Amino acid sequence: AVIGDTEITDASEINDDNCANQATMGGGIYSLGNLYIGYKLEDDATEFSAENLVEDENSTVTIQGNYANTTSNLGGGGVYVGGKFDMASGLISGNQANNGGGVMATATGEAEFTMTGGEIAGNSAAKGSGVYVGTCTFTMSGAARVNAGNDVYLASRQKITIGGAFSGSDIVATITPTNYNTALEHPVLGGESELVESLCGRFAVTPGRTQSG
């Protein structure tokens, strides 16, 4: 699914917002396939495929006010990702869940969440108020931001992969590892060594506390 293509005009009702929904998992969006937010088809594309997608600078998608009402280890207040999710712009805000207030990304195999732009802010959860990274490759670069007050919770042995340079000079995400005692054994940042070395200062870490799960 492509969400936020501003050139689509043949729908009976245009509404970029996805608000005030409730579900056991994925209060706003539940996706096990390929999900793209902030993209559109190239002008000369004759068929839909990931290779024919380009970022849409005019896209303004908001996923807001949704609730994943499960008390289990699953969740995803705004978005539950069990497949591939690319986010180039937009806002995920004001969503609630037990795990992954904004986004929960995990799968039986492995989910992929690539964030090159957009903002995750103002969500709430017991673990991962911004993003819960389960069995998932979570990659950040560019203008991607998980804002202060929303953390990225990393399940056991998970990390954030730095996919390239970031815009600006602010903190791009605050990391909460599952276990602070093993964070040095299992680094919380990955990617090319030069990128990790030069950009590690763009990340903060939640003050240490004992956690499990």
Side-chain angles (χ1 to χ4, degrees):
V2 179
I3 298 177
D5 187 340
T6 56
E7 295 183 1
I8 295 176
T9 59
D10 58 354
S12 59
E13 181 178 353
I14 304 290
N15 186 354
D16 278 342
D17 294 347
N18 188 353
C19 299
N21 298 297
Q22 179 172 303
T24 302
M25 299 188 314
I29 297 173
Y30 178 88
S31 176
L32 298 180
N34 297 330
L35 174 64
Y36 304 91
I37 290 181
Y39 291 84
K40 65 179 181 179
L41 284 174
E42 292 181 317
D43 293 338
D44 59 350
T46 58
E47 62 180 16
F48 175 83
S49 71
E51 290 73 22
N52 291 335
L53 293 177
V54 294
E55 293 186 14
D56 186 348
E57 296 179 355
N58 297 316
S59 178
T60 56
V61 175
T62 298
I63 301 172
Q64 186 173 34
N66 304 290
Y67 178 47
N69 61 3
T70 181
T71 57
S72 70
N73 289 328
L74 299 176
V79 181
Y80 178 90
V81 181
K84 176 181 172 61
F85 175 25
D86 287 1
M87 181 175 180
S89 61
L91 172 66
I92 300 176
S93 176
N95 304 286
Q96 302 177 53
N98 189 42
N99 292 326
V103 177
M104 182 172 193
T106 190
T108 303
E110 183 169 291
E112 296 181 24
F113 178 16
T114 301
M115 190 177 181
T116 58
E119 179 182 359
I120 298 174
N123 305 284
S124 60
K127 292 181 179 179
S129 56
V131 181
Y132 183 106
V133 180
T135 307
C136 171
T137 299
F138 178 33
T139 304
M140 294 183 68
S141 63
R145 297 293 186 273
V146 181
N147 283 1
N150 267 200
D151 67 320
V152 177
Y153 180 87
L154 301 179
S156 180
R157 297 176 182 268
Q158 299 303 307
K159 60 179 179 277
I160 297 176
T161 298
I162 302 175
F166 293 102
S167 61
S169 59
D170 56 326
I171 296 296
V172 300
T174 299
I175 298 170
T176 302
T178 297
N179 191 323
Y180 288 82
N181 295 327
T182 61
L184 292 177
E185 182 181 351
H186 304 291
V188 296
L189 293 176
E192 295 181 4
S193 57
E194 295 83 359
L195 286 175
V196 174
E197 183 177 350
S198 63
L199 297 174
C200 62
R202 300 295 300 276
F203 294 84
V205 177
T206 306
R209 60 183 184 272
T210 302
Q211 295 193 35
S212 61

